[in-house]
PDB file of all heavy atoms in Angstrom:
ATOM      1  N   ALA A 164     -18.201 -45.902 -32.001  1.00  0.00           N
ATOM      2  CA  ALA A 164     -19.484 -45.358 -32.436  1.00  0.00           C
ATOM      3  C   ALA A 164     -19.240 -44.364 -33.561  1.00  0.00           C
ATOM      4  O   ALA A 164     -18.183 -43.727 -33.622  1.00  0.00           O
ATOM      5  CB  ALA A 164     -20.186 -44.671 -31.266  1.00  0.00           C
ATOM      6  N   PRO A 165     -20.203 -44.219 -34.485  1.00  0.00           N
ATOM      7  CA  PRO A 165     -20.065 -43.201 -35.537  1.00  0.00           C
ATOM      8  C   PRO A 165     -19.939 -41.808 -34.926  1.00  0.00           C
ATOM      9  O   PRO A 165     -20.589 -41.491 -33.929  1.00  0.00           O
ATOM     10  CB  PRO A 165     -21.368 -43.348 -36.337  1.00  0.00           C
ATOM     11  CG  PRO A 165     -21.828 -44.745 -36.061  1.00  0.00           C
ATOM     12  CD  PRO A 165     -21.420 -45.031 -34.655  1.00  0.00           C
ATOM     13  N   GLU A 166     -19.124 -40.983 -35.532  1.00  0.00           N
ATOM     14  CA  GLU A 166     -18.837 -39.661 -34.958  1.00  0.00           C
ATOM     15  C   GLU A 166     -20.061 -38.749 -34.940  1.00  0.00           C
ATOM     16  O   GLU A 166     -20.090 -37.763 -34.188  1.00  0.00           O
ATOM     17  CB  GLU A 166     -17.704 -38.989 -35.754  1.00  0.00           C
ATOM     18  CG  GLU A 166     -18.007 -38.837 -37.233  1.00  0.00           C
ATOM     19  CD  GLU A 166     -16.832 -38.280 -38.016  1.00  0.00           C
ATOM     20  OE1 GLU A 166     -15.860 -37.817 -37.377  1.00  0.00           O
ATOM     21  OE2 GLU A 166     -16.872 -38.304 -39.268  1.00  0.00           O
ATOM     22  N   HIS A 167     -21.095 -39.063 -35.724  1.00  0.00           N
ATOM     23  CA  HIS A 167     -22.269 -38.189 -35.774  1.00  0.00           C
ATOM     24  C   HIS A 167     -23.324 -38.574 -34.735  1.00  0.00           C
ATOM     25  O   HIS A 167     -24.355 -37.901 -34.633  1.00  0.00           O
ATOM     26  CB  HIS A 167     -22.904 -38.236 -37.174  1.00  0.00           C
ATOM     27  CG  HIS A 167     -23.412 -39.594 -37.564  1.00  0.00           C
ATOM     28  ND1 HIS A 167     -22.625 -40.501 -38.238  1.00  0.00           N
ATOM     29  CD2 HIS A 167     -24.619 -40.201 -37.375  1.00  0.00           C
ATOM     30  CE1 HIS A 167     -23.318 -41.604 -38.456  1.00  0.00           C
ATOM     31  NE2 HIS A 167     -24.535 -41.447 -37.936  1.00  0.00           N
ATOM     32  N   TRP A 168     -23.100 -39.609 -33.961  1.00  0.00           N
ATOM     33  CA  TRP A 168     -24.085 -40.037 -32.965  1.00  0.00           C
ATOM     34  C   TRP A 168     -24.199 -39.019 -31.833  1.00  0.00           C
ATOM     35  O   TRP A 168     -23.267 -38.249 -31.552  1.00  0.00           O
ATOM     36  CB  TRP A 168     -23.681 -41.395 -32.381  1.00  0.00           C
ATOM     37  CG  TRP A 168     -24.193 -42.564 -33.160  1.00  0.00           C
ATOM     38  CD1 TRP A 168     -24.734 -42.555 -34.411  1.00  0.00           C
ATOM     39  CD2 TRP A 168     -24.197 -43.922 -32.724  1.00  0.00           C
ATOM     40  NE1 TRP A 168     -25.074 -43.821 -34.796  1.00  0.00           N
ATOM     41  CE2 TRP A 168     -24.763 -44.694 -33.780  1.00  0.00           C
ATOM     42  CE3 TRP A 168     -23.784 -44.579 -31.579  1.00  0.00           C
ATOM     43  CZ2 TRP A 168     -24.916 -46.076 -33.693  1.00  0.00           C
ATOM     44  CZ3 TRP A 168     -23.941 -45.959 -31.487  1.00  0.00           C
ATOM     45  CH2 TRP A 168     -24.500 -46.700 -32.532  1.00  0.00           C
ATOM     46  N   SER A 169     -25.328 -39.147 -31.122  1.00  0.00           N
ATOM     47  CA  SER A 169     -25.531 -38.359 -29.905  1.00  0.00           C
ATOM     48  C   SER A 169     -25.233 -39.223 -28.678  1.00  0.00           C
ATOM     49  O   SER A 169     -25.050 -40.437 -28.796  1.00  0.00           O
ATOM     50  CB  SER A 169     -26.979 -37.859 -29.838  1.00  0.00           C
ATOM     51  OG  SER A 169     -27.860 -38.981 -29.660  1.00  0.00           O
ATOM     52  N   VAL A 170     -25.205 -38.584 -27.526  1.00  0.00           N
ATOM     53  CA  VAL A 170     -24.972 -39.317 -26.280  1.00  0.00           C
ATOM     54  C   VAL A 170     -26.038 -40.376 -26.069  1.00  0.00           C
ATOM     55  O   VAL A 170     -25.752 -41.510 -25.671  1.00  0.00           O
ATOM     56  CB  VAL A 170     -24.936 -38.333 -25.083  1.00  0.00           C
ATOM     57  CG1 VAL A 170     -24.976 -39.084 -23.756  1.00  0.00           C
ATOM     58  CG2 VAL A 170     -23.699 -37.442 -25.158  1.00  0.00           C
ATOM     59  N   GLY A 171     -27.290 -40.041 -26.347  1.00  0.00           N
ATOM     60  CA  GLY A 171     -28.375 -40.995 -26.148  1.00  0.00           C
ATOM     61  C   GLY A 171     -28.220 -42.228 -27.016  1.00  0.00           C
ATOM     62  O   GLY A 171     -28.429 -43.358 -26.561  1.00  0.00           O
ATOM     63  N   GLN A 172     -27.864 -42.023 -28.279  1.00  0.00           N
ATOM     64  CA  GLN A 172     -27.654 -43.165 -29.173  1.00  0.00           C
ATOM     65  C   GLN A 172     -26.505 -44.054 -28.683  1.00  0.00           C
ATOM     66  O   GLN A 172     -26.586 -45.287 -28.744  1.00  0.00           O
ATOM     67  CB  GLN A 172     -27.345 -42.657 -30.591  1.00  0.00           C
ATOM     68  CG  GLN A 172     -28.540 -42.058 -31.301  1.00  0.00           C
ATOM     69  CD  GLN A 172     -28.150 -41.451 -32.635  1.00  0.00           C
ATOM     70  OE1 GLN A 172     -27.338 -40.529 -32.691  1.00  0.00           O
ATOM     71  NE2 GLN A 172     -28.738 -41.968 -33.714  1.00  0.00           N
ATOM     72  N   ALA A 173     -25.444 -43.434 -28.186  1.00  0.00           N
ATOM     73  CA  ALA A 173     -24.307 -44.206 -27.699  1.00  0.00           C
ATOM     74  C   ALA A 173     -24.674 -45.026 -26.467  1.00  0.00           C
ATOM     75  O   ALA A 173     -24.313 -46.208 -26.356  1.00  0.00           O
ATOM     76  CB  ALA A 173     -23.148 -43.264 -27.373  1.00  0.00           C
ATOM     77  N   ILE A 174     -25.417 -44.425 -25.540  1.00  0.00           N
ATOM     78  CA  ILE A 174     -25.811 -45.145 -24.327  1.00  0.00           C
ATOM     79  C   ILE A 174     -26.748 -46.297 -24.672  1.00  0.00           C
ATOM     80  O   ILE A 174     -26.624 -47.414 -24.134  1.00  0.00           O
ATOM     81  CB  ILE A 174     -26.468 -44.178 -23.325  1.00  0.00           C
ATOM     82  CG1 ILE A 174     -25.417 -43.200 -22.771  1.00  0.00           C
ATOM     83  CG2 ILE A 174     -27.124 -44.946 -22.175  1.00  0.00           C
ATOM     84  CD1 ILE A 174     -25.973 -42.151 -21.850  1.00  0.00           C
ATOM     85  N   ASP A 175     -27.690 -46.072 -25.564  1.00  0.00           N
ATOM     86  CA  ASP A 175     -28.600 -47.147 -25.974  1.00  0.00           C
ATOM     87  C   ASP A 175     -27.823 -48.293 -26.614  1.00  0.00           C
ATOM     88  O   ASP A 175     -28.130 -49.475 -26.392  1.00  0.00           O
ATOM     89  CB  ASP A 175     -29.643 -46.608 -26.954  1.00  0.00           C
ATOM     90  CG  ASP A 175     -30.616 -45.641 -26.292  1.00  0.00           C
ATOM     91  OD1 ASP A 175     -30.698 -45.668 -25.036  1.00  0.00           O
ATOM     92  OD2 ASP A 175     -31.254 -44.856 -27.013  1.00  0.00           O
ATOM     93  N   MET A 190     -15.139 -44.530 -25.457  1.00  0.00           N
ATOM     94  CA  MET A 190     -15.852 -44.909 -26.675  1.00  0.00           C
ATOM     95  C   MET A 190     -15.158 -44.170 -27.815  1.00  0.00           C
ATOM     96  O   MET A 190     -15.074 -42.928 -27.818  1.00  0.00           O
ATOM     97  CB  MET A 190     -17.334 -44.534 -26.595  1.00  0.00           C
ATOM     98  CG  MET A 190     -18.072 -44.750 -27.903  1.00  0.00           C
ATOM     99  SD  MET A 190     -19.868 -44.550 -27.753  1.00  0.00           S
ATOM    100  CE  MET A 190     -20.340 -46.222 -27.287  1.00  0.00           C
ATOM    101  N   LEU A 192     -14.663 -42.714 -31.499  1.00  0.00           N
ATOM    102  CA  LEU A 192     -15.495 -42.204 -32.575  1.00  0.00           C
ATOM    103  C   LEU A 192     -14.807 -42.464 -33.911  1.00  0.00           C
ATOM    104  O   LEU A 192     -13.594 -42.257 -34.051  1.00  0.00           O
ATOM    105  CB  LEU A 192     -15.737 -40.701 -32.396  1.00  0.00           C
ATOM    106  CG  LEU A 192     -16.253 -40.262 -31.025  1.00  0.00           C
ATOM    107  CD1 LEU A 192     -16.546 -38.767 -31.018  1.00  0.00           C
ATOM    108  CD2 LEU A 192     -17.472 -41.063 -30.605  1.00  0.00           C
ATOM    109  N   VAL A 203     -14.459 -40.436 -26.376  1.00  0.00           N
ATOM    110  CA  VAL A 203     -15.217 -39.852 -25.274  1.00  0.00           C
ATOM    111  C   VAL A 203     -15.058 -40.753 -24.053  1.00  0.00           C
ATOM    112  O   VAL A 203     -15.192 -41.974 -24.158  1.00  0.00           O
ATOM    113  CB  VAL A 203     -16.720 -39.738 -25.640  1.00  0.00           C
ATOM    114  CG1 VAL A 203     -17.514 -39.215 -24.460  1.00  0.00           C
ATOM    115  CG2 VAL A 203     -16.910 -38.848 -26.861  1.00  0.00           C
ATOM    116  N   THR A 204     -14.763 -40.161 -22.900  1.00  0.00           N
ATOM    117  CA  THR A 204     -14.654 -40.954 -21.675  1.00  0.00           C
ATOM    118  C   THR A 204     -16.036 -41.390 -21.211  1.00  0.00           C
ATOM    119  O   THR A 204     -17.047 -40.726 -21.494  1.00  0.00           O
ATOM    120  CB  THR A 204     -13.988 -40.152 -20.553  1.00  0.00           C
ATOM    121  OG1 THR A 204     -14.818 -39.042 -20.202  1.00  0.00           O
ATOM    122  CG2 THR A 204     -12.611 -39.652 -20.971  1.00  0.00           C
ATOM    123  N   GLY A 206     -17.121 -41.309 -18.244  1.00  0.00           N
ATOM    124  CA  GLY A 206     -17.640 -40.330 -17.286  1.00  0.00           C
ATOM    125  C   GLY A 206     -18.419 -39.221 -17.970  1.00  0.00           C
ATOM    126  O   GLY A 206     -19.534 -38.863 -17.547  1.00  0.00           O
ATOM    127  N   LYS A 207     -17.853 -38.658 -19.044  1.00  0.00           N
ATOM    128  CA  LYS A 207     -18.558 -37.600 -19.778  1.00  0.00           C
ATOM    129  C   LYS A 207     -19.779 -38.144 -20.495  1.00  0.00           C
ATOM    130  O   LYS A 207     -20.795 -37.459 -20.618  1.00  0.00           O
ATOM    131  CB  LYS A 207     -17.605 -36.944 -20.771  1.00  0.00           C
ATOM    132  CG  LYS A 207     -16.603 -35.993 -20.123  1.00  0.00           C
ATOM    133  CD  LYS A 207     -15.858 -35.185 -21.170  1.00  0.00           C
ATOM    134  CE  LYS A 207     -14.946 -34.162 -20.517  1.00  0.00           C
ATOM    135  NZ  LYS A 207     -14.217 -33.337 -21.515  1.00  0.00           N
ATOM    136  N   LEU A 208     -19.666 -39.381 -20.966  1.00  0.00           N
ATOM    137  CA  LEU A 208     -20.790 -39.988 -21.672  1.00  0.00           C
ATOM    138  C   LEU A 208     -22.000 -40.128 -20.754  1.00  0.00           C
ATOM    139  O   LEU A 208     -23.143 -39.865 -21.144  1.00  0.00           O
ATOM    140  CB  LEU A 208     -20.375 -41.352 -22.223  1.00  0.00           C
ATOM    141  CG  LEU A 208     -21.372 -42.066 -23.128  1.00  0.00           C
ATOM    142  CD1 LEU A 208     -21.551 -41.297 -24.425  1.00  0.00           C
ATOM    143  CD2 LEU A 208     -20.898 -43.491 -23.417  1.00  0.00           C
ATOM    144  N   LEU A 209     -21.753 -40.526 -19.511  1.00  0.00           N
ATOM    145  CA  LEU A 209     -22.849 -40.751 -18.576  1.00  0.00           C
ATOM    146  C   LEU A 209     -23.381 -39.455 -17.969  1.00  0.00           C
ATOM    147  O   LEU A 209     -24.529 -39.405 -17.518  1.00  0.00           O
ATOM    148  CB  LEU A 209     -22.394 -41.690 -17.463  1.00  0.00           C
ATOM    149  CG  LEU A 209     -22.061 -43.123 -17.882  1.00  0.00           C
ATOM    150  CD1 LEU A 209     -21.500 -43.913 -16.706  1.00  0.00           C
ATOM    151  CD2 LEU A 209     -23.304 -43.810 -18.436  1.00  0.00           C
ATOM    152  N   SER A 210     -22.560 -38.418 -17.943  1.00  0.00           N
ATOM    153  CA  SER A 210     -22.997 -37.171 -17.297  1.00  0.00           C
ATOM    154  C   SER A 210     -23.618 -36.178 -18.278  1.00  0.00           C
ATOM    155  O   SER A 210     -24.269 -35.219 -17.858  1.00  0.00           O
ATOM    156  CB  SER A 210     -21.808 -36.507 -16.603  1.00  0.00           C
ATOM    157  OG  SER A 210     -20.778 -36.187 -17.536  1.00  0.00           O
ATOM    158  N   ALA A 211     -23.431 -36.389 -19.585  1.00  0.00           N
ATOM    159  CA  ALA A 211     -23.978 -35.453 -20.577  1.00  0.00           C
ATOM    160  C   ALA A 211     -25.443 -35.784 -20.884  1.00  0.00           C
ATOM    161  O   ALA A 211     -25.902 -36.917 -20.690  1.00  0.00           O
ATOM    162  CB  ALA A 211     -23.152 -35.507 -21.863  1.00  0.00           C
ATOM    163  N   LYS A 212     -26.155 -34.802 -21.378  1.00  0.00           N
ATOM    164  CA  LYS A 212     -27.551 -35.011 -21.758  1.00  0.00           C
ATOM    165  C   LYS A 212     -27.629 -35.807 -23.050  1.00  0.00           C
ATOM    166  O   LYS A 212     -26.727 -35.766 -23.882  1.00  0.00           O
ATOM    167  CB  LYS A 212     -28.251 -33.660 -21.918  1.00  0.00           C
ATOM    168  CG  LYS A 212     -28.365 -32.899 -20.600  1.00  0.00           C
ATOM    169  CD  LYS A 212     -29.131 -31.597 -20.772  1.00  0.00           C
ATOM    170  CE  LYS A 212     -29.270 -30.882 -19.432  1.00  0.00           C
ATOM    171  NZ  LYS A 212     -30.013 -29.605 -19.559  1.00  0.00           N
ATOM    172  N   ARG A 213     -28.746 -36.494 -23.240  1.00  0.00           N
ATOM    173  CA  ARG A 213     -28.879 -37.433 -24.346  1.00  0.00           C
ATOM    174  C   ARG A 213     -28.759 -36.755 -25.713  1.00  0.00           C
ATOM    175  O   ARG A 213     -28.263 -37.353 -26.664  1.00  0.00           O
ATOM    176  CB  ARG A 213     -30.225 -38.169 -24.259  1.00  0.00           C
ATOM    177  CG  ARG A 213     -30.321 -39.159 -23.108  1.00  0.00           C
ATOM    178  CD  ARG A 213     -31.683 -39.864 -23.125  1.00  0.00           C
ATOM    179  NE  ARG A 213     -31.895 -40.612 -24.350  1.00  0.00           N
ATOM    180  CZ  ARG A 213     -31.499 -41.863 -24.564  1.00  0.00           C
ATOM    181  NH1 ARG A 213     -30.845 -42.518 -23.617  1.00  0.00           N
ATOM    182  NH2 ARG A 213     -31.760 -42.468 -25.708  1.00  0.00           N
ATOM    183  N   ALA A 214     -29.169 -35.538 -25.816  1.00  0.00           N
ATOM    184  CA  ALA A 214     -29.185 -34.880 -27.121  1.00  0.00           C
ATOM    185  C   ALA A 214     -27.819 -34.333 -27.531  1.00  0.00           C
ATOM    186  O   ALA A 214     -27.643 -33.924 -28.693  1.00  0.00           O
ATOM    187  CB  ALA A 214     -30.206 -33.743 -27.119  1.00  0.00           C
ATOM    188  N   VAL A 215     -26.847 -34.321 -26.623  1.00  0.00           N
ATOM    189  CA  VAL A 215     -25.532 -33.733 -26.914  1.00  0.00           C
ATOM    190  C   VAL A 215     -24.795 -34.600 -27.933  1.00  0.00           C
ATOM    191  O   VAL A 215     -24.685 -35.821 -27.757  1.00  0.00           O
ATOM    192  CB  VAL A 215     -24.693 -33.615 -25.622  1.00  0.00           C
ATOM    193  CG1 VAL A 215     -23.268 -33.166 -25.939  1.00  0.00           C
ATOM    194  CG2 VAL A 215     -25.364 -32.649 -24.654  1.00  0.00           C
ATOM    195  N   PRO A 216     -24.261 -34.009 -29.023  1.00  0.00           N
ATOM    196  CA  PRO A 216     -23.472 -34.794 -29.979  1.00  0.00           C
ATOM    197  C   PRO A 216     -22.173 -35.290 -29.325  1.00  0.00           C
ATOM    198  O   PRO A 216     -21.567 -34.572 -28.517  1.00  0.00           O
ATOM    199  CB  PRO A 216     -23.170 -33.790 -31.097  1.00  0.00           C
ATOM    200  CG  PRO A 216     -24.187 -32.704 -30.938  1.00  0.00           C
ATOM    201  CD  PRO A 216     -24.484 -32.624 -29.469  1.00  0.00           C
ATOM    202  N   LEU A 217     -21.744 -36.471 -29.699  1.00  0.00           N
ATOM    203  CA  LEU A 217     -20.532 -37.028 -29.102  1.00  0.00           C
ATOM    204  C   LEU A 217     -19.299 -36.175 -29.375  1.00  0.00           C
ATOM    205  O   LEU A 217     -18.417 -36.053 -28.526  1.00  0.00           O
ATOM    206  CB  LEU A 217     -20.308 -38.459 -29.612  1.00  0.00           C
ATOM    207  CG  LEU A 217     -21.281 -39.523 -29.120  1.00  0.00           C
ATOM    208  CD1 LEU A 217     -20.972 -40.868 -29.776  1.00  0.00           C
ATOM    209  CD2 LEU A 217     -21.235 -39.663 -27.604  1.00  0.00           C
ATOM    210  N   HIS A 218     -19.242 -35.572 -30.561  1.00  0.00           N
ATOM    211  CA  HIS A 218     -18.045 -34.800 -30.884  1.00  0.00           C
ATOM    212  C   HIS A 218     -17.919 -33.533 -30.031  1.00  0.00           C
ATOM    213  O   HIS A 218     -16.858 -32.917 -29.984  1.00  0.00           O
ATOM    214  CB  HIS A 218     -17.993 -34.459 -32.372  1.00  0.00           C
ATOM    215  CG  HIS A 218     -19.162 -33.662 -32.872  1.00  0.00           C
ATOM    216  ND1 HIS A 218     -19.331 -32.327 -32.593  1.00  0.00           N
ATOM    217  CD2 HIS A 218     -20.224 -34.022 -33.641  1.00  0.00           C
ATOM    218  CE1 HIS A 218     -20.440 -31.884 -33.173  1.00  0.00           C
ATOM    219  NE2 HIS A 218     -21.004 -32.895 -33.812  1.00  0.00           N
ATOM    220  N   ASP A 219     -19.017 -33.151 -29.337  1.00  0.00           N
ATOM    221  CA  ASP A 219     -18.954 -31.984 -28.457  1.00  0.00           C
ATOM    222  C   ASP A 219     -18.287 -32.296 -27.119  1.00  0.00           C
ATOM    223  O   ASP A 219     -17.913 -31.369 -26.385  1.00  0.00           O
ATOM    224  CB  ASP A 219     -20.359 -31.435 -28.191  1.00  0.00           C
ATOM    225  CG  ASP A 219     -20.922 -30.687 -29.389  1.00  0.00           C
ATOM    226  OD1 ASP A 219     -20.174 -30.514 -30.378  1.00  0.00           O
ATOM    227  OD2 ASP A 219     -22.101 -30.276 -29.332  1.00  0.00           O
ATOM    228  N   ILE A 220     -18.171 -33.576 -26.787  1.00  0.00           N
ATOM    229  CA  ILE A 220     -17.563 -33.935 -25.493  1.00  0.00           C
ATOM    230  C   ILE A 220     -16.308 -34.793 -25.683  1.00  0.00           C
ATOM    231  O   ILE A 220     -15.924 -35.562 -24.812  1.00  0.00           O
ATOM    232  CB  ILE A 220     -18.576 -34.669 -24.585  1.00  0.00           C
ATOM    233  CG1 ILE A 220     -19.167 -35.897 -25.288  1.00  0.00           C
ATOM    234  CG2 ILE A 220     -19.679 -33.741 -24.133  1.00  0.00           C
ATOM    235  CD1 ILE A 220     -20.037 -36.759 -24.385  1.00  0.00           C
ATOM    236  N   GLU A 221     -15.663 -34.632 -26.845  1.00  0.00           N
ATOM    237  CA  GLU A 221     -14.427 -35.376 -27.102  1.00  0.00           C
ATOM    238  C   GLU A 221     -13.317 -34.923 -26.154  1.00  0.00           C
ATOM    239  O   GLU A 221     -13.299 -33.784 -25.673  1.00  0.00           O
ATOM    240  CB  GLU A 221     -13.963 -35.152 -28.547  1.00  0.00           C
ATOM    241  CG  GLU A 221     -14.834 -35.783 -29.598  1.00  0.00           C
ATOM    242  CD  GLU A 221     -14.311 -35.494 -30.993  1.00  0.00           C
ATOM    243  OE1 GLU A 221     -13.194 -34.934 -31.106  1.00  0.00           O
ATOM    244  OE2 GLU A 221     -15.016 -35.814 -31.972  1.00  0.00           O
ATOM    245  N   GLU A 222     -12.365 -35.851 -25.921  1.00  0.00           N
ATOM    246  CA  GLU A 222     -11.202 -35.559 -25.086  1.00  0.00           C
ATOM    247  C   GLU A 222     -10.093 -34.899 -25.906  1.00  0.00           C
ATOM    248  O   GLU A 222      -9.850 -35.280 -27.059  1.00  0.00           O
ATOM    249  CB  GLU A 222     -10.662 -36.850 -24.465  1.00  0.00           C
ATOM    250  CG  GLU A 222     -11.507 -37.411 -23.348  1.00  0.00           C
ATOM    251  CD  GLU A 222     -11.501 -36.502 -22.127  1.00  0.00           C
ATOM    252  OE1 GLU A 222     -10.413 -36.268 -21.566  1.00  0.00           O
ATOM    253  OE2 GLU A 222     -12.590 -36.027 -21.750  1.00  0.00           O
TER     254      GLU A 222
END
Side-chain angles (χ1 to χ4, degrees):
E166 58 185 349
H167 62 269
W168 272 13
S169 67
V170 169
Q172 288 174 299
I174 291 176
D175 292 342
M190 173 171 272
L192 308 184
V203 176
T204 64
K207 284 190 175 181
L208 187 66
L209 294 175
S210 60
K212 294 183 178 180
R213 290 181 61 86
V215 173
L217 290 177
H218 59 74
D219 285 355
I220 55 173
E221 291 179 8
E222 286 293 300

